[in-house]
Structures are given as structure tokens and as C-alpha cells.
Amino acid sequence: MKTCLVVDDSKVIRKVARHILETLEFEVREAGDGREALESCMAAVPDVVLLDWNMPVMSGMDFLRALGDSGIENKPKVVFCTTENGMGHIRAAIEAGADEYVMKPFDRETLESKLQIVGMA
Amino acid sequence: MMLGNQPQVASTSAMGVIAAMLEQRTGQQIAANRSWRIETALKPILRKHRLETLDELVAALMAGQNGNLAETVVDAMLNQETSFFRDAAVLDQIADAVVALQQTVGGRRLRIWCAGCSTGQEPYSLAILLSERLGDASPTFPEIVATDISAAAISRARNGRYSQFEIQRGMPIRRMIRWFDAEGEEWQTKAELTRLIQFRKANLVGDQPPPGRFDVILCRNVLMYFSAALRRRVFCQLAESIRPEGLLVLGAGETVIGQTELLKPSQQFRGMYTLAPAKDAASHCVA
Ligand SMILES: C[S@@+](CC[C@H](N)C(=O)[O-])C[C@H]1O[C@@H](n2cnc3c(N)ncnc32)[C@H](O)[C@@H]1O
Ligand SMILES: [Mg+2]
């Protein structure tokens, strides 16, 4: 079973994502901000991280950079999942090392297709 | 407006008439257990024309006063489900096969036909894969002709503008930013991509196929609701449009096996079909 870490400061979004991911047979973990996400990755590296952009304490972009500097081996695939839908944000996320990008709102098929693209579904 | 001429469907109910019209014009059959689709699909049209029931719609069709009504009704009932990079592994195989074929034909430009291309996601995906392999400025970049029976689908395909929802279905993000521009909430194919494909409205049943022969024909997820007899006929016409070394690609769940003697699985390219030897297609095609 693959593991997905859902990182979002919105409990509702985490719940929706969890539900979809569980139907896709992922084991789901949650984090409410980038710092929690980093700690979670240090404890056990997930296969894939679903990452919000705007969050308190540590943003998605800061998490991505911190993950890059963390020395963690077998880095997880990172799929940004955000309402920041502009080209500028997308480019910045890719430059910072994101593997894929989902523009909110999304549905099950979208998420499944993006997970397929990164080889996780 | 001709609604007769369709002995197979004997039902006199409005549903039967509409299903018969769909089959007569497109070859598509609606299974009895999916006829609820008709009602759902036609609701917006009923509302727009202030009609209460399917019977009233049939009456309006027979009165024939609204020239586009029949086409609108048929369009609404077609299954146009598609997505970018649908069955991605198969598209990759097609692109690889095109590159391999290109090497065997020297300087000649290959010709590809996407039959039943819906709103364009399939030919655009293929054009992107080929550009990545051959370079979109290559003088021998294949000619891609894409056809569909639906005028509305072809017009959307030609415009190359997709909602966020549509583009996220299957389009990897790096390819999206390489080949599309943001236009408000929507995503527009860049001119360098749009220009790689010629879109045309054409019915596989009745219209002439695009002229000339093709090296690769895609006809994916189009023929599955055709009657066996009609599917046979279309295979026959497709066989006539394929070059001797050419390939036919069907949808993931489709096959020619048991449906026609004119085509057989390709030895070289898995999952694709090629002309069966020593068969003169024309003599087998019954009009
Ligand atoms: C389910 S879509 C498949 C689109 C694409 N080939 C794919 O696999 O994603 C089927 C398409 O076939 C078209 N179609 C149905 N009957 C047709 C006919 N008789 N001639 C041409 N196109 C037809 C429909 O309008 C629709 O766009
Ligand atoms: Mg947020």
C-alpha cells in the first residue's frame, strides 16, 4: 500500500483528499502546515506528498525547499495542490522541485490522473 | 427531415424514434438500459425550445422547421468522453511506431488520421508526443488530420481552448506550460501546436473519408456502440484508407478480431492492426 501525506491547513480539504485517496487505496497521513509535514517526512518518508501552497507556520514552497535541504533520501513525489492557478506560481513550483501540480478545485479523476502521471496510481 | 428508412428499430415511441435517428445518422446504438441517457442528454434542448416531452420534440423534428434541431439533438446524444493522454502507454507506443515508420519511408511525410477525435484532446496529445520526439519544426513532421461527426466538437477542437477541469485530466503540468497559454480561467493551445492538426467535420458513416491513404489511423472508442454489421463496413472503409505498411489503432477494449478479415494484429507493433495480406479491400466492402 502506498502512503500519501496530505498537507493542507484546511481540515475540510484534508478530509476530501483523504476520502479520494483511500478509495485509490492509499494509506493517508495528514499535516496542517509545512513544519508538521517536514516532521512527518523525517519520521517516515511517504511515497507522495499532496501539498497546499498557503499555510500558516510554513508554506508549501518553504516546505519544498526544506525537503530539498533535509538530506532525506528516497524523496517523495510532490504534487502541489492549490488555488494558486497562475502560470507564475506553476513555474515557481516546478523550479522548486514539484513533480506535478493540481489546480483546485479538483475531483477524483483529476487527482487519480495526476497520481498516475507521477507513477503512483 | 427523414426519420423513416430504419426498419431495425420498430418502436413507435418517441424514444425509439430518437434512438433510430441517432443510429441512422451516426451508427451509434443506444442500449435499452442506457436509454435514460437520452432523456438526460435532451433535457436542455427541450427547455431551450420550450418543449414539454420527447413526443413534442419528435413532432418538432418531423415538422422540420428548425434546420439545426436534428443535428443538435444528435450531438447531445453522442458520447464525447475523452481526455488528454488517454491510455498514455498506448499513445506512447503510437508515437514510437510513427518514429519507426518515419525511418522506413525516408523523406516522405507520414500521414496520420484521428477518426472520431471528439474535442481534440487525442490529436493534440499525439502531436505533443511527436513534437517531443521529432521536433515540431521537422520538415517531415507528420500530417495529422482529425475528424469527428460533431460540428460542435470539431469547432471546440479547432479553437483549442480547454477548461481547467479538462486540461487537468491527463495533461502533465510541464507539457501544459510548454504547449498552452493561460487565458483567464481557461487554457489555450499555442499556435505552434494548433497548426500541427487539420480538423474537419466528417461522418464515418456515409461521408467520404479524408482523401489519400494514411500511415496510421486512430479510431479509438468510436465504434463500440455500432452494430456489428456497420462496424464491419467501417473497418472496410478504414482498411481502404490505410497504406500497405500502415497501422490502425483502436481503443483499449476494442479489437478487429472476429469482425473483419481485412485487418490483423501487427507483428511488429503490439496492440495495433495492419492490413491482412492478399486481400483486396475494395472487393470485400459492401456498400
Ligand atoms: C468517446 S469519443 C472518443 C474520442 C477519442 N477518440 C478518445 O478515444 O478519447 C467518440 C467520438 O466519436 C464520435 N463519433 C461517433 N459516431 C461517429 C461517426 N459516425 N463518425 C464520426 N465520428 C463519430 C463522437 O462524436 C465522439 O466525439
Ligand atoms: Mg491553504
Side-chain angles (χ1 to χ4, degrees):
Chain A
M1 211 181 203
K2 298 222 161 89
T3 313
C4 182
L5 175 62
V6 177
V7 191
D8 204 304
D9 57 333
S10 155
K11 210 172 157 184
V12 178
I13 301 241
R14 291 204 304 269
K15 197 172 153 192
V16 172
R18 168 185 284 277
H19 179 75
I20 296 174
L21 287 160
E22 282 176 351
T23 66
L24 297 172
E25 303 197 335
F26 276 86
E27 187 188 318
V28 180
R29 282 160 28 199
E30 296 180 26
D33 62 57
R35 161 96 28 225
E36 274 183 28
L38 199 59
E39 281 160 10
S40 177
C41 288
M42 299 285 210
V45 186
D47 296 293
V48 55
V49 177
L50 207 60
L51 186 63
D52 185 24
W53 192 291
N54 284 312
M55 292 177 291
V57 186
M58 185 189 269
S59 74
M61 282 298 269
D62 288 339
F63 163 82
L64 200 51
R65 292 193 194 98
L67 183 71
D69 297 340
S70 66
I72 291 176
E73 286 175 37
N74 303 322
K75 293 231 161 47
K77 296 284 181 191
V78 176
V79 178
F80 251 109
C81 188
T82 168
T83 46
E84 309 295 336
N85 294 349
M87 202 62 114
H89 283 92
I90 296 173
R91 283 188 200 285
I94 289 173
E95 264 161 42
D99 296 283
E100 260 302 329
Y101 202 100
V102 179
M103 301 175 274
K104 285 178 190 161
F106 61 90
D107 65 357
R108 185 183 191 282
E109 276 77 27
T110 304
L111 194 53
E112 188 174 7
S113 107
K114 290 291 183 177
L115 289 165
Q116 267 166 11
I117 289 170
V118 297
M120 286 294 143
Chain B
M1 159 86 247
M2 259 188 45
L3 292 169
N5 223 351
Q6 192 62 20
Q8 295 101 307
V9 182
S11 167
T12 52
S13 73
M15 193 75 91
V17 173
I18 288 172
M21 181 174 82
L22 177 69
E23 181 170 5
Q24 185 190 329
R25 291 189 167 223
T26 73
Q28 304 285 327
Q29 293 183 322
I30 298 219
N33 62 0
R34 285 173 68 247
S35 63
W36 59 269
R37 261 204 68 168
I38 294 192
E39 284 183 280
T40 320
L42 296 181
K43 275 224 173 83
I45 297 177
L46 291 181
R47 212 173 299 129
K48 186 172 163 222
H49 292 270
R50 302 228 169 81
L51 302 166
E52 295 282 322
T53 61
L54 289 185
D55 286 291
E56 287 183 28
L57 179 61
V58 169
L61 285 166
M62 292 173 92
Q65 261 144 30
N66 182 335
N68 289 332
L69 185 58
E71 181 163 353
T72 314
V73 166
V74 166
D75 245 57
M77 286 188 291
L78 288 171
N79 170 359
Q80 298 187 330
E81 169 91 17
T82 189
S83 61
F84 287 105
F85 298 98
R86 181 178 195 174
D87 299 318
V90 175
L91 277 180
D92 265 320
Q93 285 173 2
I94 300 172
D96 289 343
V98 170
V99 173
L101 285 179
Q102 184 68 66
Q103 270 149 21
T104 68
V105 301
R108 179 171 72 78
R109 260 183 98 195
L110 294 179
R111 304 188 71 224
I112 301 172
W113 174 21
C114 268
C117 67
S118 188
T119 39
Q121 283 90 331
E122 176 177 80
Y124 283 129
S125 301
L126 185 58
I128 288 172
L129 293 177
L130 292 175
S131 295
E132 289 172 358
R133 285 165 172 76
L134 304 166
D136 63 313
S138 155
T140 53
F141 192 89
E143 179 186 346
I144 305 176
V145 178
T147 61
D148 199 280
I149 190 176
S150 161
I154 284 296
S155 150
R156 287 211 53 213
R158 202 177 272 137
N159 286 338
R161 194 180 275 249
Y162 297 94
S163 70
Q164 178 175 301
F165 180 77
E166 290 169 318
I167 199 144
Q168 297 213 93
R169 281 270 188 104
M171 176 66 71
I173 199 72
R174 285 174 181 75
R175 287 184 176 141
M176 186 185 92
I177 62 178
R178 165 72 182 84
W179 296 102
F180 291 79
D181 290 319
E183 298 268 354
E185 303 269 276
E186 298 185 312
W187 297 87
Q188 171 68 56
T189 48
K190 289 184 196 282
E192 55 191 298
L193 176 58
T194 320
R195 74 174 177 84
L196 297 175
I197 303 161
Q198 303 162 46
F199 289 102
R200 279 185 223 160
K201 181 186 157 176
N203 187 349
L204 282 165
V205 181
D207 287 349
Q208 287 292 320
R213 292 197 178 224
F214 291 87
D215 298 278
V216 179
I217 299 180
L218 283 71
C219 188
R220 302 197 308 159
N221 309 301
V222 178
L223 303 178
M224 49 213 199
Y225 301 117
F226 278 44
S227 70
L230 196 52
R231 205 180 302 136
R232 231 182 142 67
R233 218 173 90 196
V234 173
F235 278 138
C236 200
Q237 289 166 359
L238 292 177
E240 288 186 335
S241 293
I242 296 183
R243 287 182 68 95
E245 305 299 320
L247 297 167
L248 170 69
V249 188
L250 300 175
E254 303 174 281
T255 181
V256 304
I257 296 165
Q259 327 240 357
T260 176
E261 302 76 45
L262 301 171
L263 296 150
K264 61 166 185 25
S266 161
Q267 304 282 343
Q268 196 185 348
F269 300 104
R270 268 193 40 218
M272 304 183 204
Y273 301 95
T274 188
L275 291 177
K279 288 265 162 70
D280 175 8
S283 67
H284 287 258
C285 288
V286 272

